[in-house]
Amino acid sequence: MNIREVAQLAKVSTATVSRTINGSSKVTPETAERVRRAIEQLRFYPNTNARALGSGKSSLYGLIISDITNPFFPELVKSFEDIAVQHGQEVLVANTNYDPARMEICVSRMLQRKVDGVAIMTSEMDEKFIDEFNSRGIPLVFLDTGKPQKLISNIVIDYAAGVNAAVEHLIGFGHTSVGFISGPMSLASARIRRKAFVSSLKQKGVRLDPSMIEEGNHRVDGGHDAMARLLSKRIRPTAVLASNDMTAIGALGAIHERGLRVPEDISLAGFDDIEISSFTQPSLTTVKLSRNDVAKVAFRSLYDINVNAGKGGEYRIQPLLVVRRSTGPAPVKPGKR
Amino acid sequence: MNIREVAQLAKVSTATVSRTINGSSKVTPETAERVRRAIEQLRFYPNTNARALGSGKSSLYGLIISDITNPFFPELVKSFEDIAVQHGQEVLVANTNYDPARMEICVSRMLQRKVDGVAIMTSEMDEKFIDEFNSRGIPLVFLDTGKPQKLISNIVIDYAAGVNAAVEHLIGFGHTSVGFISGPMSLASARIRRKAFVSSLKQKGVRLDPSMIEEGNHRVDGGHDAMARLLSKRIRPTAVLASNDMTAIGALGAIHERGLRVPEDISLAGFDDIEISSFTQPSLTTVKLSRNDVAKVAFRSLYDINVNAGKGGEYRIQPLLVVRRSTGPAPVKPGKR
DNA sequence: CTGTTAGCGCTTTCAT
DNA sequence: ATGAAAGCGCTAACAG
């Protein structure tokens, strides 16, 4: 089943069928109608591979993420796909699983499929790969870790502002001993958030005890373990900020296991605002990072370069503090063991 | 950049390059090495579209899911991809968002990309689409809703056994008033789970009060609202089984909002065992449905039909009760208002 | 073991 | 507005 059979049935040339499929304006409505009927009758579906090959355009955009298991990403994927589809483009999602070797495979897949652009939302990306895309004229957009160039855009999240808002909120409640559970230090995005926390505290003139910072892995189990470590210190923090919500959720469990209450004994805040965060017990105060905004900006930046011969740029996104029930006044007596 | 340039540089024919790429055994190791060097030097990536077109094989398997936002699915996607990659195949994931119109788009995408098989994990699938695949010789595998045929396999989850185990567990704790929060009745899979609950109760000789069943939407908010309704009844259940974990998590929030304790005042169990369920407060007793098993069986069933000219079949998967902290002895005085 | 060449299904000039 | 035909990049006979 191919375009020729359709052409025969509709009594036109293959060129006309092709034009009809692509909505060319120079096909008589009557002919177009005839072709459409033939297509329907034969249940014909144009071969995407042949189309891409013939036209030299894949209409495919790559989206590379690091962990599809972190709820942050599915929400991002969904938004990205919605926008792409609205523009008549398809999406190729690839998951690196935080593994550099898999990143190479992902890049390779993108290149082989001749994508028209790639959104790299992983924060870890070898320079050599970037070149691979650049030299082929494939636009790229990064999250936090790119330097804008002709074909490269960068989305910068104002972590400082987000973290600041959270810290301010905590300090406003009288907390003076604020802890932090970071993501894995191997991740640039985790390092950025941590740095933002440290300088925010300094800016507010609050003393930072280095032992109040523990490293997690941006997943639930890591948050749980990190909080457990924090709680077994001689002096424990009365408030803790987590590098992302998954971490905070794990931390919440650890606090409860210890028989402590949130926020009476200890306040807890997260980062991201994934859907589930409003349903934890208590609901989680967190810094919202809109996946929809990120996805929208990411796709637009790529699409614009291709369609309007635009150039790479820098796009800023402001996170927003969402206050819920997991934060409250500092306990009168700081928690000593 | 194409195979011809590589051929020239390596001083061989394009056929030899192609053979080398495809790992054909009839290429002298030396020639192969020369070709590989040329490929590397030119940073050549074979065009997937052309390969698919030339060979007539896409090496692509479709995976249709209903809601990438439900953690159950990303875990399934991940497993499915891992297995596919192990077999040198790629995966095209499509998300219907529970929307029949989008289902049509998904099917169309699959057909246009000439996938070698499709795993339909959505439980809702119009008969006419099935035909579309069948008539093109594309194998299909369903979750719970297919009838095995030449090219069609079906994975049947033994919900009855899973629900039974949960109900037994609850009854063993002395609960006599057991409620149920179902998924949306528009979903076959939700109806199956509900039916399993009803007959399990009947089988155990426990009286079922129809008002003890509320409908959710398989998401957190639906579970929350359904539980709120359950709790405002004149007589409330002392134990509740939810149709999936997301629902249970929402229910948990509603219970706490009401000032009740889990499991002291009310026991709660879920279904699926998504990762986060072991970190809720309290951790959730649930019926584990292994995504990895489902993915493995799904892919294998498709791959086997293609590679070994196998036939469609029926595959059973046993869920397993995972007891955690959200279930316990029934309160001595049933909760009246 | 290697090369030649005819497709694969569609798009896109270039004529008409 | 429509058609004829030359690719697009690769694979797979078929020869040798």
Side-chain angles (χ1 to χ4, degrees):
Chain A
M1 165 66 48
N2 58 33
I3 212 176
R4 264 198 10 234
E5 291 186 43
V6 176
Q8 283 172 356
L9 183 62
K11 298 192 193 309
V12 294
S13 70
T14 59
T16 299
V17 176
S18 175
R19 291 195 188 98
T20 308
I21 290 174
N22 292 295
S24 161
S25 58
K26 29 189 178 178
V27 180
T28 320
E30 293 83 58
T31 346
E33 184 51 32
R34 204 144 34 91
V35 173
R36 255 180 258 111
R37 270 207 303 276
I39 289 179
E40 187 153 352
Q41 190 178 332
L42 295 173
R43 296 169 153 209
F44 168 73
Y45 288 85
N47 184 322
T48 306
N49 297 124
R51 297 231 273 174
L53 192 56
S55 68
K57 287 174 297 194
S58 67
S59 300
L60 232 200
Y61 283 80
L63 175 59
I64 302 183
I65 61 180
S66 50
D67 180 13
I68 200 178
T69 264
N70 177 343
F72 181 86
F73 289 110
E75 296 176 25
L76 182 66
V77 171
K78 196 177 181 177
S79 295
F80 194 88
E81 278 187 337
D82 287 347
I83 299 165
V85 168
Q86 280 169 28
H87 292 258
Q89 309 298 108
E90 286 195 90
V91 178
L92 175 61
V93 182
N95 189 195
T96 67
N97 214 10
Y98 295 117
D99 177 356
R102 281 191 64 146
M103 172 58 101
E104 182 151 9
I105 296 175
C106 291
V107 170
S108 173
R109 273 181 69 187
M110 301 285 158
L111 258 12
Q112 299 187 175
R113 289 224 174 250
K114 311 300 172 195
V115 294
D116 292 336
V118 184
I120 299 169
M121 308 277 101
T122 55
S123 87
E124 301 309 305
M125 179 53 142
D126 207 313
E127 193 75 31
K128 70 180 176 194
F129 294 141
I130 299 181
D131 237 49
E132 214 75 87
F133 290 109
N134 227 330
S135 63
R136 287 174 175 74
I138 302 172
L140 253 34
V141 56
F142 289 91
L143 191 55
D144 283 324
T145 82
K147 351 168 197 332
Q149 297 173 30
K150 188 148 172 294
L151 295 174
I152 300 183
S153 297
N154 189 35
I155 299 176
V156 355
I157 311 290
D158 194 345
Y159 289 110
V163 169
N164 246 317
V167 168
E168 218 158 73
H169 170 69
L170 259 15
I171 290 178
F173 268 137
H175 293 278
T176 52
S177 175
V178 183
F180 186 73
I181 302 179
S182 77
M185 283 299 98
S186 55
L187 276 189
S189 68
R191 292 196 297 269
I192 297 177
R193 294 182 190 199
R194 183 196 147 126
K195 206 169 289 176
F197 173 75
V198 172
S199 50
S200 175
L201 233 49
K202 191 168 294 174
Q203 188 193 310
K204 301 267 182 285
V206 176
R207 174 181 152 281
L208 171 69
D209 178 351
S211 75
M212 289 285 114
I213 297 187
E214 282 287 345
E215 182 172 343
N217 58 4
H218 272 177
R219 288 184 309 206
V220 181
D221 61 342
H224 176 276
D225 297 351
M227 180 55 97
R229 290 195 298 275
L230 236 30
L231 292 180
S232 50
K233 293 187 193 295
R234 213 173 48 78
I235 298 183
R236 58 172 150 77
T238 62
V240 171
L241 179 61
S243 188
N244 75 352
D245 283 357
M246 291 298 270
T247 301
I249 289 171
L252 200 55
I255 297 173
H256 282 135
E257 278 172 16
R258 203 70 172 213
L260 297 170
R261 293 157 308 161
V262 175
E264 292 81 355
D265 298 313
I266 190 163
S267 282
L268 181 65
F271 203 109
D272 280 351
D273 192 24
I274 57 180
E275 193 202 1
I276 216 164
S277 298
S278 39
F279 294 98
T280 55
Q281 196 53 38
S283 57
L284 193 66
T285 291
T286 186
V287 180
K288 179 187 176 99
L289 172 53
S290 166
R291 266 77 67 199
N292 199 37
D293 288 356
V294 172
K296 218 181 280 183
V297 170
F299 181 79
R300 288 261 175 80
S301 73
L302 298 172
Y303 193 72
D304 178 63
I305 292 180
N306 284 329
V307 177
N308 308 319
K311 299 197 332 178
E314 184 153 294
Y315 303 87
R316 300 197 154 268
I317 288 186
Q318 289 298 326
L320 192 70
L321 180 68
V322 179
V323 177
R324 298 211 182 89
R325 322 297 297 267
S326 68
T327 48
V332 180
K333 306 215 175 191
K336 300 199 181 176
R337 290 177 85 196
Chain B
M1 167 63 48
N2 57 35
I3 212 175
R4 264 198 10 234
E5 291 187 41
V6 177
Q8 282 171 359
L9 182 63
K11 300 191 192 308
V12 295
S13 70
T14 60
T16 300
V17 177
S18 174
R19 291 196 188 96
T20 309
I21 290 174
N22 293 296
S24 161
S25 58
K26 27 189 180 179
V27 180
T28 319
E30 292 83 58
T31 344
E33 186 50 32
R34 204 146 33 92
V35 172
R36 257 182 255 111
R37 270 207 301 277
I39 289 179
E40 189 154 349
Q41 191 177 331
L42 295 173
R43 296 169 156 210
F44 168 74
Y45 289 85
N47 185 321
T48 307
N49 298 124
R51 297 233 272 176
L53 192 56
S55 69
K57 287 175 295 194
S58 68
S59 299
L60 233 199
Y61 282 80
L63 175 59
I64 301 182
I65 61 180
S66 50
D67 179 13
I68 198 177
T69 263
N70 177 343
F72 180 85
F73 289 110
E75 298 177 23
L76 182 65
V77 170
K78 195 177 181 178
S79 296
F80 194 87
E81 279 188 335
D82 287 347
I83 299 165
V85 168
Q86 281 169 28
H87 293 256
Q89 309 298 110
E90 287 196 90
V91 177
L92 175 61
V93 181
N95 189 195
T96 67
N97 215 9
Y98 296 116
D99 177 356
R102 282 191 63 149
M103 172 58 103
E104 181 151 10
I105 296 174
C106 291
V107 170
S108 173
R109 274 181 69 188
M110 301 285 158
L111 259 11
Q112 299 188 173
R113 290 225 173 249
K114 312 298 172 196
V115 295
D116 292 336
V118 184
I120 298 168
M121 308 277 101
T122 56
S123 87
E124 299 309 305
M125 180 53 143
D126 207 314
E127 192 74 33
K128 70 179 173 193
F129 294 140
I130 299 180
D131 237 50
E132 215 75 88
F133 289 110
N134 227 330
S135 63
R136 287 174 176 74
I138 301 172
L140 253 34
V141 55
F142 288 90
L143 191 54
D144 283 324
T145 82
K147 356 176 190 327
Q149 296 173 31
K150 186 147 173 295
L151 295 173
I152 300 183
S153 297
N154 189 36
I155 299 177
V156 353
I157 311 290
D158 194 345
Y159 290 110
V163 168
N164 246 318
V167 168
E168 218 158 72
H169 169 70
L170 259 14
I171 290 178
F173 269 136
H175 293 278
T176 51
S177 174
V178 183
F180 185 74
I181 303 179
S182 77
M185 283 299 98
S186 54
L187 277 189
S189 67
R191 290 195 298 270
I192 297 176
R193 295 181 190 200
R194 182 196 149 127
K195 206 169 290 177
F197 173 75
V198 172
S199 49
S200 174
L201 234 49
K202 190 168 295 174
Q203 187 193 310
K204 302 268 183 284
V206 176
R207 176 181 150 280
L208 170 71
D209 179 350
S211 76
M212 289 284 116
I213 298 187
E214 281 287 343
E215 182 172 342
N217 59 4
H218 271 179
R219 287 183 311 208
V220 182
D221 61 341
H224 175 275
D225 297 351
M227 180 56 98
R229 290 196 298 275
L230 236 30
L231 293 179
S232 51
K233 293 189 192 295
R234 210 173 51 78
I235 298 184
R236 57 173 152 76
T238 61
V240 171
L241 178 61
S243 189
N244 74 352
D245 283 357
M246 291 298 269
T247 301
I249 289 170
L252 200 55
I255 296 173
H256 282 135
E257 277 172 17
R258 202 71 171 211
L260 297 170
R261 294 157 308 162
V262 174
E264 292 82 354
D265 298 314
I266 190 164
S267 283
L268 181 65
F271 203 109
D272 279 352
D273 192 25
I274 57 181
E275 192 202 1
I276 216 164
S277 297
S278 40
F279 295 97
T280 54
Q281 196 53 36
S283 57
L284 192 66
T285 292
T286 187
V287 179
K288 178 186 179 102
L289 205 192
S290 165
R291 267 76 67 199
N292 199 37
D293 287 356
V294 173
K296 216 180 281 181
V297 170
F299 181 80
R300 290 261 175 78
S301 73
L302 297 172
Y303 194 72
D304 178 63
I305 292 180
N306 284 328
V307 177
N308 309 320
K311 300 196 332 175
E314 184 152 293
Y315 303 87
R316 301 198 152 267
I317 287 186
Q318 289 298 326
L320 193 69
L321 181 68
V322 178
V323 178
R324 298 210 181 89
R325 323 294 300 266
S326 68
T327 47
V332 180
K333 305 216 174 192
K336 300 201 179 174
R337 292 177 81 196

